[in-house]
């Protein structure tokens, strides 16, 4: 088995207070960071300019495209730099970077698989957000006819690059908070195995959340409806995969 070549992609939108610590903790694991500035304000942009001097790759989007838009730009940059896998992690410090070696080992051992973080929350998690996630979990289980994806909303995961970019090239993936959910479901539909890795999650170190309760929940609801229609078309194949397994 050949060694994978993995880098970290972090979408950044006005997380100037937290991103320096996140980058430092990632770099301690010897991984190259690609930061995607998703139209941040001048203060955050200045912080990112300083981080660029530490050896990170900085991509700047002219205007805010949303988390998904930033991640897609980061994936394409990673591919151009010759990486085989991308580890995605959030910029606000909510993810436990001490678990990065676990994700990397799982990716090495399961190179064609999507390695999904499965959150273990502490007392800082907003209860409304915690309970709201379960509605999405149920829809994902329906739309995959499977319990394979334990948590589709966690932004701490490892993607094999080639099949993920092939998905982007052929399908219009959601560009905002619907991205993490939709890309996981569609990769599963394409036969990508899913490995779930428990990881501690806290909320968030800089006090900034870009989740817009009404707008993003409406966006996610529309996405679930579209995926449900897609599942109906694919249901014979999904059912056959379960039987064959």
């Amino acid at each position: 088995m050949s060694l994978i070549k993995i880098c970290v992609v972090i979408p950044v939108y006005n997380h100037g207070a937290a991103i320096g610590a996140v980058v430092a903790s990632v770099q301690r694991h010897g991984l190259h960071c690609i930061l995607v500035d998703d139209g941040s304000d001048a203060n955050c942009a200045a912080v990112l300019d300083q981080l660029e001097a530490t050896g990170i790759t900085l991509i700047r989007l002219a205007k805010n495209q949303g988390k998904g838009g930033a991640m897609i730009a980061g994936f394409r940059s990673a591919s151009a730099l010759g990486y085989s896998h991308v580890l995605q992690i959030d910029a606000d410090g909510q993810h436990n970077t001490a678990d990065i070696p676990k994700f990397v080992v799982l990716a090495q051992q399961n190179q064609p698989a999507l390695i999904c973080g499965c959150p273990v929350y502490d007392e800082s998690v907003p209860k409304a957000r915690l309970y709201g996630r379960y509605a999405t979990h149920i829809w994902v289980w329906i739309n995959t006819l499977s319990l394979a994806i334990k948590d589709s909303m966690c932004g701490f995961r490892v993607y094999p690059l080639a099949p993920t970019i092939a998905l982007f090239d052929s399908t219009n993936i959601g560009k905002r908070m619907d991205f993490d959910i939709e890309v996981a479901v569609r990769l599963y539909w394409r036969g990508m195995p899913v490995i779930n890795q428990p990881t501690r999650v806290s909320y968030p170190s800089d006090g900034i959340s870009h989740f817009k309760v009404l707008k993003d929940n409406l966006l996610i609801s529309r996405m679930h409806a579209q995926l449900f229609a897609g599942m109906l078309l694919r249901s014979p194949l999904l059912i056959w995969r379960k039987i064959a397994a």
Side-chain angles (χ1 to χ4, degrees), residues 151-172:
D151 189 296
S152 63
M153 299 184 77
C154 182
F156 191 5
R157 48 177 67 163
V158 179
Y159 296 85
L161 259 180
T164 303
I165 289 179
L167 173 65
F168 299 153
D169 288 341
S170 62
T171 307
N172 185 25

Side-chain angles (χ1 to χ4, degrees), residues 46-109:
V47 172
L48 298 180
D49 286 339
Q50 294 173 356
L51 289 173
E52 192 171 15
T54 71
I56 62 100
T57 296
L58 178 59
I59 300 170
R60 284 218 150 95
L61 304 182
K63 61 180 181 178
N64 179 262
Q65 296 187 23
K67 181 180 183 179
M71 283 304 305
I72 291 170
F75 279 117
R76 294 195 184 281
S77 174
S79 179
L81 292 171
Y83 289 98
S84 65
H85 288 67
V86 158
L87 188 149
Q88 171 186 337
I89 195 166
D90 285 355
D92 58 11
Q94 67 173 286
H95 295 141
N96 182 18
T97 55
D99 284 341
I100 286 176
K102 297 178 183 178
F103 282 77
V104 172
V105 168
L106 280 173
Q108 177 63 47
Q109 295 173 343

Side-chain angles (χ1 to χ4, degrees), residues 8-243:
V8 176
V9 172
I10 307 176
V12 184
Y13 180 54
N14 294 338
H15 290 105
I19 187 60
V22 174
V23 168
S25 61
V26 168
Q27 289 176 327
R28 282 195 288 271
H29 297 289
L31 297 179
H32 180 65
C33 286
I34 299 174
L35 303 186
V36 184
D37 180 1
D38 191 22
S40 297
D41 61 24
N43 289 335
C44 181
V47 172
L48 298 180
D49 286 339
Q50 294 173 356
L51 289 173
E52 192 171 15
T54 71
I56 62 100
T57 296
L58 178 59
I59 300 170
R60 284 218 150 95
L61 304 182
K63 61 180 181 178
N64 179 262
Q65 296 187 23
K67 181 180 183 179
M71 283 304 305
I72 291 170
F75 279 117
R76 294 195 184 281
S77 174
S79 179
L81 292 171
Y83 289 98
S84 65
H85 288 67
V86 158
L87 188 149
Q88 171 186 337
I89 195 166
D90 285 355
D92 58 11
Q94 67 173 286
H95 295 141
N96 182 18
T97 55
D99 284 341
I100 286 176
K102 297 178 183 178
F103 282 77
V104 172
V105 168
L106 280 173
Q108 177 63 47
Q109 295 173 343
N110 305 274
Q111 295 186 18
L114 174 66
I115 314 300
C116 280
C118 192
V120 178
Y121 291 108
D122 62 17
E123 64 280 358
S124 69
V125 61
K127 294 298 185 288
R129 292 282 297 275
L130 180 62
Y131 301 145
R133 296 175 78 93
Y134 284 97
T136 279
H137 295 345
I138 291 168
W139 271 113
V140 167
W141 297 335
I142 292 170
N143 288 334
T144 58
L145 299 181
S146 169
L147 299 177
I149 303 170
K150 302 300 183 186
D151 189 296
S152 63
M153 299 184 77
C154 182
F156 191 5
R157 48 177 67 163
V158 179
Y159 296 85
L161 259 180
T164 303
I165 289 179
L167 173 65
F168 299 153
D169 288 341
S170 62
T171 307
N172 185 25
I173 299 292
K175 300 299 191 297
R176 307 200 76 83
M177 293 299 185
D178 47 351
F179 171 80
D180 288 336
I181 304 163
E182 185 173 5
V183 72
V185 170
R186 290 189 178 277
L187 287 173
Y188 178 83
W189 282 353
R190 290 185 170 212
M192 184 176 288
V194 177
I195 308 293
N196 298 285
Q197 171 60 45
T199 184
R200 179 178 56 80
V201 175
S202 58
Y203 271 76
S205 67
D206 64 358
I208 295 176
S209 172
H210 297 301
F211 189 91
K212 297 176 176 61
V213 175
L214 179 59
K215 181 178 180 179
D216 284 322
N217 278 324
L218 287 173
L219 191 67
I220 288 170
S221 295
R222 184 178 68 178
M223 176 207 62
H224 285 315
Q226 291 171 339
L227 290 177
F228 181 73
M231 178 276 292
L232 293 177
L233 292 173
R234 294 170 176 82
S235 58
L237 176 60
L238 295 173
I239 292 169
W240 172 250
R241 278 169 52 184
K242 290 178 68 70
I243 293 172

